[in-house]
Amino acid sequence: MELRVIENEPTELSIEIAGEDHTFMNVLKGALLETEGVAAATYDVNPEQSGGQTDPVLTVKTEEGTDPLDALADAAGNVKAKSTSFRETFEAAH
């Protein structure tokens, strides 16, 4: 996975996430929307709307006082924790 920061402002972050698709992006967007201080989270993978670009671009907008990079790190940690919990529960069910 390759990341490229497109925009990094005090309350807005846009980052390209190479090689990912709707499956991963929906999970990450959902985790961001559950993160305190996040006002909006969207992504775009439509090449017609993004000048031919095919890798998704994630945009995170936060409330004043919440750094979007910190919010992204918190959301990624939440995804990891939920995935680990699911795997442990699934393995215990076998």
Side-chain angles (χ1 to χ4, degrees):
M1 178 182 300
E2 291 183 37
L3 306 176
R4 182 175 66 91
V5 174
I6 296 169
E7 180 179 5
N8 187 5
E9 300 294 329
T11 60
E12 186 169 341
L13 172 71
S14 291
I15 188 168
E16 182 181 65
I17 305 174
E20 294 303 331
D21 61 15
H22 291 288
T23 303
F24 177 76
M25 297 306 295
N26 276 318
V27 169
L28 186 56
K29 181 182 86 169
L32 278 160
L33 292 172
E34 294 175 351
T35 301
E36 187 174 335
V38 172
T42 61
Y43 72 92
D44 177 26
V45 293
N46 188 339
E48 290 84 32
Q49 293 178 349
S50 59
Q53 141 138 3
T54 57
D55 288 323
V57 174
L58 176 72
T59 301
V60 181
K61 295 182 182 184
T62 59
E63 299 167 356
E64 281 295 322
T66 300
D67 183 285
L69 282 171
D70 291 341
L72 181 56
D74 290 347
N78 191 14
V79 169
K80 182 179 179 182
K82 285 182 179 180
S83 297
T84 299
S85 175
F86 176 80
R87 185 184 72 238
E88 290 170 354
T89 303
F90 180 79
E91 289 172 353
H94 269 82

